[in-house]
Amino acid sequence: MMNTMIPLTVANTLNQTAKQRIEAKPSQTLKQVVQDQKLSPEGDFDVYDQMGKVISNQSVANHRDSTVYVGVAKVAGGANHPGLDLDDDDAWDLDDDEPLVKPREVIFILPSGERHNAQPGEGEMLIQVYKRAVGGPRDGTPMEVMDNDGNVVSSRMAAGMVGRSFRIQMRALPGGGSVKNKGRTKLFRRSPETYQAIVPKEIIEQTTAFTQPRGRLEMGGLLIGHVDSYGNNVVVCGFFPRQDQASSGYCEFHGSFSAIAAAACDYANEKAGGPHTPDLRVIGWIHTHPDIGIFLSGIDVDTFGRLRTHSFENRCVAVVVDPIRKEHGVFISEKKAQNRDAESADGEVNLAEDLEARYHKFLNRLRAVQTKKGKTEIPFILPGVLYQQRVAMGDVDDIMEAKLQTLDKLNLHSISETERLATALQRIQAMESLIRDVGSKVDREVAQLKRKIDSQKSKIQTLYSRDEILKKKIDEQRQELDTLAKQMDEVRVERKSIDNAEEEPVSEHPIEESKDKILPEEAQVEVSSEIVIEQKVESKLIQNEVLKPQVSVELDDPSLREGC
C-alpha cells in the first residue's frame, strides 16, 4: 500500500534546538497536526513559515518536507517570494523527544559568536539586560541589540522577548580616507594575533564594478568567509549595505547589517554541510578610497581594531579598493596601515562541495533578505568566486547591472561632454568674431592716431622753422641794437664835448663869436639825432617783447604738446 503521509519538520520559534521530524495526514491542517503531536506551547499559538507568515490553517499537503515554526500567537505578515530557495531541510533528520518548555531567558550572541543567557528583570530593556549580564566591551565601543533581521531592539522591553536570541553588534562601522577621526577612543594597546588572509581577485573586480559609477563617494561593506585547515582567513563573498553616510572622504553603515550577515551565516551553517564543514562567518570589512590611494586612515585603523577585538579569535580582514586608480590592498593588522604593508588580493579559493553548498545557502538567504527589505537596504551582493555558478542558477546578476550602470553613466557623461564641447565651440566662434571686430576697430583707431601724429609732427616742424626765423630776426635786431648803442655812445661823447665847449670864455674876436653862435644849432642837431637813436632802440625792444609771447603761445598749444 502506498504511503500517503506527509513528512515535515516542526520547530519551536523560541528554542530552535527543539525540532521534531513527523508525518501527518494530507487532509489535516498544520495547527491540527501540531496539536495531535502535542508539540504546541501553552496558551494560544500559531504556525509560521520561514518568512514569518501565519500558515496555521493551511493544508499539510502544501508543505511536504518543509520546516514549520510553532510559536505564540502574533500579528504577522509576509509572503514567499518566487525564486527563493526555501526548501532548506535537505539531508537533515533531527529527532528530538525533548518536550517544549516555556523559556524564561533571552540569548545574546556576541560578534565573536559567544552566547550569553540572561533572565530579564522587571521593567528592564534588552540593552540593560545585556550590560548587566555581559558588561559591554572594555574599550567603550557603542553596541546595539539587534534581531536576526538587523532591526535595532535595544530599547524593547526584555520581558516580552524571552526565548529569543539577539545579536550584539557595533552601532556603526565608519571608514574614511580623508576625514579625521573625531571622538576617537584610545588606541588598542594590545595587538591581537594576526592571521594570513586569502582574498580572491573576483572580490576586487566586483567591488570596482559596483562602486565605479558612484564616482568619489566612499562605500563600505562586509566580507563573508571561513577559516581553512591551515588557519587562514579565506574571503569568498560579501555585500554592500545601505550607507548612512557617503562622501568623498567618509563612509558609514549601520551595525545592524552585521547582525543580518551573522544570522545568514548561522542559517547557512545549519542548513548545509556537515560537522566537519567550516562555519561561515563575517570575516572582514571592505571599503573604498576613490582616487585617494591604498592605506588605512586614523578612523579606518580604529574601526578595524574594534572589529578585530570583537571578532572570534580576533579574526578580521580589511580590504581597501580604489576603483578610480584601479588599486587595492589587503590588511591583516591595524598596526600596519600603510600602502607598503598591504597585500594583494590574488588568492586562489577552492571550495569543497559541502562548503560550496553552504555558501550558496548563505547567498540564497541574503538574496531573500534583499528581496524582503529592498535593494535600497542591500544594494549589491558580492558572489565572489561563485559568480558564474550563481548566474547559471538563475540568480540576479548584480555585476552585470553594475557594469550596465557604468556604461549608462559613461554614455550620459559622453553626451554631457559633447554638449559642453558644442557650447564651448559656439563660445569660441563668438569670441573669434568679437576678436575680429575688435581688431578692425583697433586698426581704424591706430590709423587715425597715426594721421593725427603726422599732422602734429608737421605742425611741430612748422613751429621749429618759425622759431628759427624768429631767432634769426632777434639776432639781427640785437646786432642793430648793438650798432645803435655804439652810435648813442658816440653821440653822448660828442654831446659831452659840446657841453664842455659852451663852458669856455667868450673870445674877443668877432669871427670866433660868429662861430660860437653857430654851435648851439649844431648842438641842437646832435641832440635831435640822439633822440632819434633812442626812439629806434625803444622800438626794437618793444618788437622783441611782442615776439617772445607769440613764440611761447605757439609752443604752449595743447595739440602740439599732445603730438610731441
Side-chain angles (χ1 to χ4, degrees):
M1 183 176 179
M2 184 177 178
N3 184 11
T4 59
M5 300 295 284
I6 304 298
L8 73 158
T9 302
V10 179
N12 184 0
T13 59
L14 303 181
N15 184 3
Q16 294 182 355
T17 62
K19 293 185 177 181
Q20 292 284 348
R21 188 74 170 175
I22 65 172
E23 291 185 346
K25 297 178 181 179
S27 59
Q28 289 181 302
T29 65
L30 289 169
K31 194 167 188 178
Q32 289 173 343
V33 171
V34 172
Q35 289 173 331
D36 291 346
Q37 296 287 335
K38 298 181 180 180
L39 298 176
S40 60
E42 296 180 4
D44 194 14
F45 72 95
D46 270 321
V47 183
Y48 307 94
D49 65 10
Q50 295 179 5
M51 297 301 293
K53 180 182 178 182
V54 178
I55 54 176
S56 301
N57 297 321
Q58 291 187 12
S59 173
V60 172
N62 297 330
H63 298 276
R64 178 185 291 272
D65 290 325
S66 296
T67 299
V68 297
Y69 297 86
V70 179
V72 294
K74 64 177 181 179
V75 178
N80 291 341
H81 298 276
L84 299 182
D85 183 9
L86 298 181
D87 185 12
D88 294 315
D89 297 294
D90 300 336
W92 286 87
D93 187 9
L94 301 178
D95 294 324
D96 192 350
D97 297 329
E98 183 179 351
L100 299 177
V101 294
K102 188 175 182 180
R104 297 180 180 179
E105 298 176 333
V106 292
I107 304 171
F108 296 113
I109 306 174
L110 304 186
S112 62
E114 184 180 352
R115 293 171 177 260
H116 291 268
N117 293 11
Q119 186 171 347
E122 184 178 356
E124 277 189 312
M125 294 184 294
L126 284 171
I127 190 67
Q128 293 172 330
V129 178
Y130 158 70
K131 290 182 177 179
R132 173 173 57 80
V134 182
R138 295 180 180 179
D139 60 6
T141 301
M143 309 296 282
E144 292 282 8
V145 182
M146 305 174 190
D147 62 16
N148 287 335
D149 288 332
N151 300 310
V152 178
V153 294
S154 301
S155 59
R156 299 278 184 89
M157 299 306 296
M161 301 289 181
V162 291
R164 296 181 59 183
S165 60
F166 300 93
R167 299 184 181 274
I168 307 300
Q169 295 291 343
M170 293 171 57
R171 181 175 298 166
L173 281 79
S178 61
V179 176
K180 294 182 179 179
N181 186 7
K182 298 180 180 180
R184 180 179 173 186
T185 60
K186 61 183 179 181
L187 292 173
F188 300 91
R189 296 180 179 178
R190 181 180 63 83
S191 179
E193 183 181 354
T194 58
Y195 301 91
Q196 289 301 311
I198 298 176
V199 181
K201 59 182 175 54
E202 287 84 355
I203 293 293
I204 307 302
E205 293 170 352
Q206 293 164 18
T207 297
T208 301
F210 171 63
T211 58
Q212 254 187 352
R214 284 145 184 83
R216 299 181 183 276
L217 296 181
E218 292 197 11
M219 299 196 71
L222 294 172
L223 299 174
I224 309 302
H226 64 276
V227 179
D228 66 10
S229 58
Y230 299 100
N232 299 318
N233 294 330
V234 182
V235 176
V236 176
C237 56
F239 69 99
F240 279 89
R242 169 181 52 80
Q243 306 294 300
D244 289 339
Q245 295 187 50
S247 67
S248 59
Y250 185 79
C251 64
E252 179 181 304
F253 61 90
H254 200 272
S256 60
F257 293 103
S258 299
I260 292 174
C265 288
D266 287 348
Y267 173 84
N269 294 336
E270 178 186 354
K271 297 299 182 182
H276 300 293
T277 306
D279 285 339
L280 308 192
R281 59 190 297 171
V282 177
I283 202 76
W285 167 56
I286 186 170
H287 73 290
T288 60
H289 280 183
D291 204 24
I292 298 176
I294 305 304
F295 62 95
L296 293 178
S297 66
I299 199 166
D300 295 341
V301 169
D302 190 48
T303 299
F304 188 27
R306 291 177 188 276
L307 289 171
R308 288 230 298 149
T309 299
H310 297 302
S311 298
F312 178 67
E313 295 181 346
N314 306 124
R315 290 182 177 274
C316 189
V317 178
V319 178
V320 180
V321 179
D322 188 334
I324 295 179
R325 299 184 185 180
K326 301 294 183 65
E327 299 174 352
H328 72 273
V330 178
F331 298 89
I332 61 174
S333 172
E334 70 278 8
K335 298 296 182 181
K336 296 181 178 181
Q338 301 303 314
N339 183 280
R340 63 177 179 272
D341 303 317
E343 301 176 2
S344 296
D346 53 5
E348 183 176 351
V349 178
N350 296 311
L351 301 176
E353 185 177 349
D354 57 340
L355 184 55
E356 183 176 314
R358 186 165 280 184
Y359 275 107
H360 282 304
K361 289 293 183 184
F362 168 82
L363 291 170
N364 287 346
R365 186 67 171 183
L366 193 61
R367 185 69 71 186
V369 174
Q370 183 194 56
T371 304
K372 179 181 178 180
K373 289 181 171 289
K375 268 206 164 186
T376 303
E377 293 298 305
I378 303 179
F380 190 76
I381 295 176
L382 296 165
V385 297
L386 299 175
Y387 170 59
Q388 297 297 338
Q389 294 94 315
R390 299 297 299 177
V391 173
M393 292 168 61
D395 193 15
V396 178
D397 193 346
D398 287 347
I399 290 85
M400 183 58 66
E401 286 185 7
K403 290 180 178 178
L404 290 175
Q405 288 179 4
T406 302
L407 290 176
D408 289 342
K409 183 176 180 180
L410 289 174
N411 184 40
L412 292 174
H413 182 70
S414 175
I415 294 173
S416 176
E417 289 300 313
T418 302
E419 293 176 350
R420 286 182 57 192
L421 287 174
T423 304
L425 182 60
Q426 291 177 355
R427 292 179 61 187
I428 290 172
Q429 292 173 347
M431 291 178 67
E432 288 177 347
S433 176
L434 179 62
I435 290 171
R436 286 194 296 268
D437 293 341
V438 171
S440 299
K441 185 177 180 181
V442 169
D443 291 340
R444 289 194 299 270
E445 292 181 352
V446 168
Q448 186 177 0
L449 287 173
K450 284 182 177 180
R451 289 193 295 271
K452 287 183 178 180
I453 290 172
D454 293 339
S455 175
Q456 297 298 330
K457 283 183 178 180
S458 176
K459 290 181 179 180
I460 290 171
Q461 292 297 331
T462 301
L463 289 174
Y464 282 157
S465 299
R466 292 177 63 184
D467 185 52
E468 292 297 326
I469 295 171
L470 290 173
K471 285 181 179 180
K472 187 175 180 180
K473 288 183 178 181
I474 290 171
D475 290 338
E476 291 176 354
Q477 290 178 356
R478 283 178 178 172
Q479 291 176 1
E480 291 180 5
L481 288 173
D482 291 339
T483 302
L484 291 173
K486 289 179 181 180
Q487 292 177 359
M488 286 184 66
D489 290 338
E490 292 174 358
V491 169
R492 289 191 183 95
V493 170
E494 291 178 1
R495 183 176 179 181
K496 186 175 182 181
S497 62
I498 293 172
D499 291 339
N500 292 335
E502 289 179 352
E503 292 177 357
E504 292 179 1
V506 179
S507 175
E508 293 179 357
H509 302 285
I511 296 173
E512 295 294 333
E513 289 178 357
S514 63
K515 290 180 180 180
D516 292 337
K517 290 180 181 178
I518 297 172
L519 285 173
E521 293 179 359
E522 293 177 353
Q524 289 177 358
V525 172
E526 293 295 337
V527 170
S528 63
S529 64
E530 182 180 352
I531 292 171
V532 170
I533 291 172
E534 288 180 353
Q535 288 177 350
K536 287 183 179 181
V537 172
E538 289 177 358
S539 175
K540 292 293 183 182
L541 289 175
I542 289 171
Q543 288 180 3
N544 287 337
E545 291 298 327
V546 171
L547 288 172
K548 286 181 181 180
Q550 290 179 353
V551 174
S552 63
V553 168
E554 291 178 349
L555 291 175
D556 288 341
D557 187 347
S559 63
L560 295 177
R561 288 202 305 272
E562 184 180 351
C564 295

